[in-house]
Amino acid sequence: MTFSAFGDKFTRHSGIARLMEDMGEGLRTPGAVMLGGGNPAQIPAMNDYFQQLLQQMHDEGKLTDALCNYDGPRGKAVLLDALAEMLREELGWQISPQNIALTNGSQSAFFYLFNLYAGRRADGSKKRVLFPLAPEYLGYADAGLDEDLFVSAKPNIELLPEGQFKYHVDFEHLQITDDTGLICVSRPTNPTGNVITDEELMKLDVLAQQHDIPLLIDNAYGVPFPGIIFSEVRPLWNPNIILYMSLSKLGLPGSRCGIIIADEKVISAISNMNGIISLAPGSIGPAIATEMIKRGDLLRLSEQVIKPFYQQRVKQTIAVIRRYLPENRCLIHKPEGAIFLWLWFQDLPISTELLYQRLKQRGVLMVPGHFFFPGLEHEWPHTHQCMRMNYVPDSETIEKGIRILAEEIERAHAET
Ligand code: PLP
């Protein structure tokens, strides 16, 4: 069977496909310790809330209404209205419903945006997407129609007390060139839990404006919802910024509802692309989110339930890691948000790809670091020394996973 060039590219076994397969396989394997994928937590208070909300929406006919009708290509109009009003009031952003479009999750959104701004242009030039701070989200890596669509920049590493460290944008070496078509950063960052500082974000914003290219900020974990962010930083939006938000980390990944906030011209482009590729985004997630906003629950639950839950989990997980792995064996990226811990095994004698395979054989799933450097041009040993783990499972599962991780690390050291 032969495919088109598009087919050849998009039927590859990408890192994100392997991750999703591990997740599906793990879910069917009893006793597997799933610290690999990005599934959000099953927070009892949120699950109860969604059950009750869905029951009420069902009783009021709102669920059948959502299921039995297409929305427009920008997505459910009542949600666009409610979101615009909420963001104006909460954050003072000058936006209207015309600044918002919905997509079927982030992969659709990033596929649109990367290929809108990067790739071959009518004049024969080729533009690329710049990730100013690698490591960066694995989901971006294969979303380009053209080969070599991404360039990423190595970070500066700040060593912190208690065996922690933090990545910073290396502005001295950051190169924005004529072929940069878009700057993209996740904040909070998957895989590291980093939150780039207000100062860093403002500098990127200025650079983007100076070069007349958009700055895309992936705010899947950020404020004002779902609020999985533990450092005091300000959200930023202006017409040169394209902001991605999502319902997934509220606990609704199955709703596949992504939200793009941008200048009206960008939104109109997204709307047309939605029409061609999806007709319209799905309606159930937006119907739920509309109800949550109307009832004043979206921000309240983010602040009072979701954020404290993750903050508590991350603290407990770090305590477990330190019981099994001292600082000289494992450094931890300062956890400022998102649902992962990024572990750096500086002196590990084997690659984290091999460590991943050994852990998988013992039923523990984590993700080796090298997947998270899309477009890094030069080989960098650091990419093979890190590992991402999801800290969301219950404490027993976390402890089991960390114990096996520590055993495999000691085994690797003993082999040399
Ligand atoms: N963006 C980042 C940075 C993520 O980590 C994730 C999920 O892990 C997503 C987006 C996925 O969002 P969605 O479920 O809205 O596609």
Side-chain angles (χ1 to χ4, degrees):
M1 186 166 48
T2 57
F3 290 136
S4 63
F6 170 90
D8 287 342
K9 182 163 191 316
F10 282 88
T11 52
R12 274 183 215 154
H13 193 230
S14 61
I16 193 81
R18 177 168 107 175
L19 178 69
M20 296 313 281
E21 278 164 19
D22 274 357
M23 196 139 84
E25 217 176 281
L27 285 174
R28 292 189 302 274
T29 311
V33 178
M34 302 280 293
L35 308 177
N39 218 57
Q42 302 291 315
I43 304 177
M46 290 306 292
N47 283 359
D48 290 349
Y49 173 83
F50 289 132
Q51 283 238 309
Q52 280 172 22
L53 182 68
L54 285 168
Q55 186 63 54
Q56 286 166 16
M57 288 175 67
H58 172 261
D59 294 345
E60 291 162 12
K62 289 178 178 160
L63 278 187
T64 19
D65 234 24
L67 268 173
C68 301
N69 293 290
Y70 285 117
D71 289 325
R74 264 197 311 126
K76 192 171 282 308
V78 282
L79 177 60
L80 307 182
D81 292 344
L83 264 177
E85 189 184 337
M86 187 185 85
L87 294 170
R88 270 196 315 269
E89 280 174 9
E90 281 296 314
L91 303 172
W93 293 347
Q94 294 302 306
I95 62 167
S96 77
Q98 271 67 41
N99 294 110
I100 310 178
L102 309 183
T103 62
N104 291 318
S106 59
Q107 293 303 109
S108 305
F110 291 109
F111 182 78
Y112 295 165
L113 290 164
F114 291 160
N115 294 300
L116 260 183
Y117 289 101
R120 212 154 286 289
R121 303 223 161 171
D123 63 5
S125 67
K126 187 179 168 186
K127 304 274 181 188
R128 299 163 102 190
V129 177
L130 171 67
F131 301 122
L133 184 74
E136 191 46 281
Y137 178 41
L138 169 68
Y140 304 150
D142 298 284
L145 281 170
D146 277 347
E147 298 290 349
D148 301 324
L149 208 71
F150 304 109
V151 197
S152 63
K154 261 165 65 172
N156 284 330
I157 302 178
E158 180 192 7
L159 291 175
L160 299 170
E162 297 174 20
Q164 295 197 359
F165 68 104
K166 178 172 165 66
Y167 293 127
H168 290 283
V169 181
D170 181 0
F171 283 101
E172 230 175 88
H173 296 104
L174 189 68
Q175 290 189 343
I176 299 175
T177 59
D178 284 348
D179 71 0
T180 310
L182 179 73
I183 302 175
C184 172
V185 66
S186 60
R187 186 190 200 230
T189 305
N190 173 355
T192 56
N194 193 16
V195 174
I196 63 165
T197 62
D198 287 338
E199 198 191 336
E200 285 173 313
L201 192 66
M202 248 113 79
K203 272 194 192 172
L204 288 176
D205 179 40
V206 169
L207 283 171
Q209 295 197 36
Q210 278 170 353
H211 289 83
D212 199 18
I213 47 183
L215 172 62
L216 171 55
I217 304 170
D218 181 349
N219 189 36
Y221 301 93
V223 274
F225 65 87
I228 312 174
I229 182 162
F230 317 129
S231 54
E232 277 304 313
V233 293
R234 275 194 312 273
L236 183 68
W237 185 82
N238 60 47
N240 195 53
I241 289 178
I242 304 173
L243 192 69
Y244 176 78
M245 300 191 66
S246 168
L247 302 188
S248 294
K249 311 301 169 181
L250 289 170
L252 298 171
S255 69
R256 309 307 308 122
C257 177
I259 300 162
I260 296 175
I261 300 167
D263 184 65
E264 284 185 29
K265 286 201 277 299
V266 179
I267 294 302
S268 156
I270 297 292
S271 171
N272 289 335
M273 292 173 97
N274 259 345
I276 292 172
I277 290 173
S278 310
L279 292 185
S283 313
I284 290 289
I288 297 173
T290 308
E291 280 301 305
M292 292 180 78
I293 294 174
K294 279 193 189 153
R295 296 167 185 224
D297 292 338
L298 184 62
L299 304 189
R300 179 182 63 78
L301 291 168
S302 296
E303 186 59 32
Q304 295 177 10
V305 177
I306 296 174
K307 178 177 168 163
F309 176 92
Y310 284 101
Q311 213 160 7
Q312 169 79 354
R313 275 280 155 98
V314 79
K315 215 170 127 201
Q316 285 169 347
T317 305
I318 289 179
V320 175
I321 293 175
R322 283 296 171 236
R323 276 215 304 280
Y324 288 89
L325 285 163
E327 292 170 21
N328 64 352
R329 281 284 190 252
C330 168
L331 297 175
I332 304 172
H333 192 285
K334 185 178 177 197
E336 297 179 303
I339 62 177
F340 307 101
L341 282 172
W342 179 252
L343 311 178
W344 179 14
F345 310 108
Q346 233 173 344
D347 303 317
L348 190 69
I350 58 171
S351 69
T352 41
E353 169 66 27
L354 185 54
L355 180 63
Y356 155 80
Q357 285 165 13
R358 290 180 176 185
L359 288 171
K360 194 174 170 183
Q361 274 173 6
R362 298 190 62 188
V364 178
L365 289 169
M366 294 188 185
V367 187
H370 63 276
F371 283 118
F372 299 93
F373 295 83
L376 193 70
E377 277 170 341
H378 302 288
E379 184 54 27
W380 186 30
H382 186 76
T383 64
H384 302 286
Q385 296 168 353
C386 297
M387 195 81 147
R388 187 192 82 176
M389 65 168 282
N390 182 321
Y391 67 75
V392 163
D394 60 85
S395 52
E396 237 173 71
T397 309
I398 293 276
E399 177 138 10
K400 186 173 165 198
I402 300 290
R403 184 172 44 74
I404 293 172
L405 172 69
E407 284 169 11
E408 287 301 325
I409 285 175
E410 286 317 309
R411 179 183 150 204
H413 279 281
E415 283 168 357
T416 56

